[in-house]
Amino acid sequence: MQTSNKPHYFQASWIEPTDLSLEADVVIYGGTAAGVIAAKALAERGLSVIILNPALVLGGMTTSGLGWTDFGRKGVIGGMSRQFYNDLGKYYGLEGTAWTFEPKAAQAVIDSYAAHPLISVYHKQFLQKVETDSERIVSIHMLGGLQAKAAYFMDCTYEGDLYAKAGVSYTVGREANSVYGETINGVQVRPKHQFSHPVDPYVVEGDPSSGVLPWINEAEPDPEGSGDHKIQAYNFRVCMTDDPDLKVDWVKPESFREIDHELARRWFNTDTDEYNAHLPNPKNRNLDDPDSILRKFDVMDARTPNGYLKTDTNNHGPVSTDFIGANYAWPEASYAQREVIFQEHVDYIMGHFWFMANDPSIPEVYRKGYARFGLPKDEFPETGHWPHQLYVREARRMVSDYVLTEKDTQHIRQPEDPVAMGSYAMDSHNCQRFVKDGCVYNEGDVQLLPKAPYGISYRSITPAKGECENLFVPVCLSASHIAFGSIRMEPVFMALGESAAIATDMLIDQKDAVQSIDYP
């Protein structure tokens, strides 16, 4: 990858001094797919919209490699969210939806949505302060001086930066099961994405005095079900190709540290036949093919004319692309601090691919499988063909008058005011690694299906009464850690963005509080 257009989260050089003052009916902070869908829904109702986007391009994860859609049950995805996947189908000349797609296809559709004359988009905008008056946001101010006023605001970031600065209540980390009467929140040591064979955690194998390998805790975790500050791991959803005409070979990062990948070396040199035997068949793969063990190289609908593949590559197994334990500071970090964490993730994950494809200590079957793929030349031109968005699976979560919990997903209770539906499994990736009996273990991975599709309360996307009356939060909404693991899917975020837009349209003439809407 060329360093001249290396991906970044934040660069001081992006901030240009400006005294620009903007005003619209609605200001959306965050250019995620939820933000763009909300903006389009508002504009189609005749309302003016400003999107202030911290990123380089629009779309968030939807345009940054998450092309294998996590939808749960397709039947509950409706409205503009469903239309987005229909429009992707049209992009490919299909009749109906395209649930798997290339990043460039998603970017084309998202950009077309934002091209509405009532929508104005400003990229590389980072929030500095929020001006409030009597429980209402009056204006928001960006680094560099740009400020924007509106009757209503939406926080469509993955981090909840706007509502945090507006004084809205939130939490970070995992609640104890006792907080909301749950059973699978907090600390959880489970077999999925776990080490099935003993792997030594020490720098010098067998020698505890040498210390542990990077990102492994020497101490065992707190009791099962207890709460902590930890959050599920981040990665990049890397789009790869095996087309020799498109493929860019893996590059060794300048800051590569071999010790960061020692755990991978040890794991991939264990006897994993038993581990691989119980895994589900990979999607669109032949088990006789040597690289069929690369379980999460999910193949997109689009193939090159010669039949080569593009993938949405996610984490899989005990050692993969999830950078476990490296993201705890992200939710509350400054923009400069997030840039450091972002680059650590780029270097670790890029280093993982290079190491797996090139290091002679990795068994040949794995080396050949990884070396077959590389980055596609026709994706992500702004960032050296690497995804522009770090997969922030979880950061802040609002605490409002309705906190969605495991009880909602299991239909122990259901809200009276649903505005979208969730149906995906409660899916938490691992949150930490630890040592027990001289072996390394992963902790935090939970995957449990909901009893049935469930409603997401209107009150979960609005602040609690008395906190802020002109703000919607379709992404970092009010939910427990484990319930958010089900909600946090792009189709759901889009549906919630549209619902927030509809509510705004209902409220705007009287400038009523978001909590006062007549739901029926």
Side-chain angles (χ1 to χ4, degrees):
M1 187 180 72
Q2 299 299 316
T3 56
S4 60
N5 56 347
K6 184 179 180 181
H8 293 279
Y9 170 80
F10 172 81
Q11 291 284 278
S13 61
W14 292 350
I15 309 304
E16 299 178 0
T18 177
D19 59 358
L20 190 61
S21 182
L22 307 172
E23 188 165 359
D25 293 316
V26 182
V27 168
I28 296 173
Y29 184 58
T32 58
V36 175
I37 290 291
K40 186 173 187 289
L42 289 162
E44 289 179 348
R45 287 163 172 79
L47 301 180
S48 58
V49 187
I50 295 168
I51 299 177
L52 299 175
N53 182 29
L56 297 172
V57 297
L58 294 171
M61 286 305 302
T62 295
T63 59
S64 192
L66 208 170
W68 187 276
T69 306
D70 294 323
F71 45 70
R73 296 194 186 181
K74 300 174 185 176
V76 303
I77 301 171
M80 294 177 68
S81 180
R82 183 68 171 230
Q83 186 59 50
F84 170 75
Y85 297 100
N86 287 339
D87 289 342
L88 281 168
K90 292 177 184 176
Y91 177 93
Y92 287 115
L94 305 174
E95 292 185 9
T97 55
W99 296 108
T100 63
F101 49 87
E102 298 161 286
K104 65 181 181 182
Q107 194 70 64
V109 175
I110 285 288
D111 288 346
S112 72
Y113 288 178
H116 194 287
L118 287 176
I119 300 174
S120 301
V121 180
Y122 297 83
H123 296 297
K124 296 187 288 190
Q125 296 297 325
F126 292 84
L127 186 63
Q128 183 178 42
K129 67 177 182 178
V130 176
E131 182 182 352
T132 61
D133 181 30
S134 300
E135 299 179 14
R136 294 187 76 90
I137 299 174
V138 177
S139 63
I140 61 176
H141 300 246
M142 304 293 111
L143 294 177
L146 185 151
Q147 58 180 298
K149 297 181 179 180
Y152 290 90
F153 292 80
M154 290 190 195
D155 187 337
C156 291
T157 65
Y158 290 121
E159 293 85 7
D161 287 341
L162 174 54
Y163 71 68
K165 287 187 180 293
V168 171
S169 299
Y170 65 87
T171 188
V172 176
R174 302 182 286 184
E175 299 91 351
N177 276 328
S178 59
V179 174
Y180 296 118
E182 298 176 298
T183 66
I184 55 172
N185 207 338
V187 173
Q188 299 285 329
V189 181
R190 289 171 173 251
K192 188 73 172 177
H193 300 292
Q194 186 59 269
F195 294 90
S196 62
H197 291 67
V199 175
D200 191 291
Y202 302 114
V203 174
V204 177
E205 291 190 71
D207 182 6
S209 67
S210 66
V212 293
L213 292 170
W215 308 104
I216 299 176
N217 299 325
E218 291 190 65
E220 292 187 34
D222 293 333
E224 183 167 312
S226 58
D228 58 23
H229 71 287
K230 298 177 175 65
I231 54 177
Q232 55 181 309
Y234 299 169
N235 69 347
F236 287 91
R237 296 292 284 255
V238 180
C239 180
M240 309 192 308
T241 184
D242 63 350
D243 184 342
D245 294 329
L246 287 180
K247 172 186 164 188
V248 178
D249 287 335
W250 303 115
V251 173
K252 184 179 182 180
E254 293 180 5
S255 61
F256 180 85
R257 298 195 316 163
E258 192 164 334
I259 195 170
D260 289 336
H261 306 281
E262 177 61 24
L263 194 61
R265 188 203 313 274
R266 294 178 189 180
W267 166 247
F268 283 95
N269 277 283
T270 62
D271 180 8
T272 59
D273 288 344
E274 178 185 335
Y275 172 75
N276 284 314
H278 78 268
L279 293 175
N281 288 348
K283 305 174 182 72
N284 296 344
R285 308 304 262 167
N286 180 352
L287 284 173
D288 295 327
D289 192 356
D291 70 341
S292 66
I293 50 180
L294 308 177
R295 300 283 175 172
K296 291 302 288 184
F297 288 23
D298 289 335
V299 178
M300 298 176 183
D301 278 343
R303 292 173 181 254
T304 65
N306 293 325
Y308 292 103
L309 308 177
K310 278 189 179 177
T311 73
D312 166 358
T313 310
N314 196 10
N315 178 82
H316 186 76
V319 186
S320 183
T321 60
D322 274 0
F323 197 0
I324 299 172
N327 62 341
Y328 300 155
W330 181 275
E332 304 272 29
S334 68
Y335 301 128
Q337 290 168 334
R338 284 181 185 168
E339 167 67 10
V340 173
I341 299 169
F342 183 96
Q343 294 304 329
E344 288 174 347
H345 279 73
V346 172
D347 290 342
Y348 174 81
I349 297 165
M350 190 182 301
H352 174 78
F353 286 121
W354 179 87
F355 182 79
M356 293 299 298
N358 292 279
D359 194 277
S361 69
I362 297 299
E364 184 180 24
V365 64
Y366 297 98
R367 264 189 292 122
K368 284 186 174 181
Y370 276 81
R372 169 181 160 185
F373 289 88
L375 299 175
K377 295 178 183 177
D378 63 340
E379 299 286 358
F380 308 122
E382 307 91 347
T383 51
H385 316 301
W386 189 264
H388 49 79
Q389 173 71 54
L390 180 64
Y391 194 0
V392 177
R393 289 189 172 96
E394 176 184 17
R396 296 183 181 97
R397 300 186 313 281
M398 185 167 63
V399 180
S400 73
D401 292 328
Y402 195 103
V403 180
L404 290 147
T405 73
E406 179 186 336
K407 291 182 178 179
D408 293 274
T409 71
Q410 299 306 312
H411 283 242
I412 297 171
R413 68 169 186 176
Q414 284 288 274
E416 301 171 355
D417 54 353
V419 289
M421 297 189 75
S423 64
Y424 199 78
M426 286 175 282
D427 180 6
S428 172
H429 283 231
N430 279 306
C431 300
Q432 64 176 322
R433 288 193 171 113
F434 67 94
V435 178
K436 180 179 180 181
D437 300 329
C439 297
V440 60
Y441 288 84
N442 291 335
E443 184 277 314
D445 188 281
V446 180
Q447 298 176 45
L448 180 66
L449 290 172
K451 183 176 181 180
Y454 57 90
I456 299 172
S457 171
Y458 175 78
R459 287 165 289 165
S460 68
I461 66 169
T462 61
K465 288 182 180 179
E467 290 197 342
C468 186
E469 62 180 36
N470 65 336
L471 175 67
F472 287 95
V473 183
V475 179
C476 292
L477 73 167
S478 180
S480 70
H481 156 75
I482 199 62
F484 189 78
S486 171
I487 296 163
R488 63 174 182 85
M489 305 303 156
E490 294 288 288
V492 177
F493 288 156
M494 288 187 240
L496 291 169
E498 182 182 8
S499 292
I502 294 168
T504 302
D505 185 44
M506 295 170 64
L507 295 166
I508 197 160
D509 288 341
Q510 282 73 41
K511 304 294 189 292
D512 288 339
V514 297
Q515 297 86 357
S516 67
I517 198 166
D518 182 356
Y519 178 82

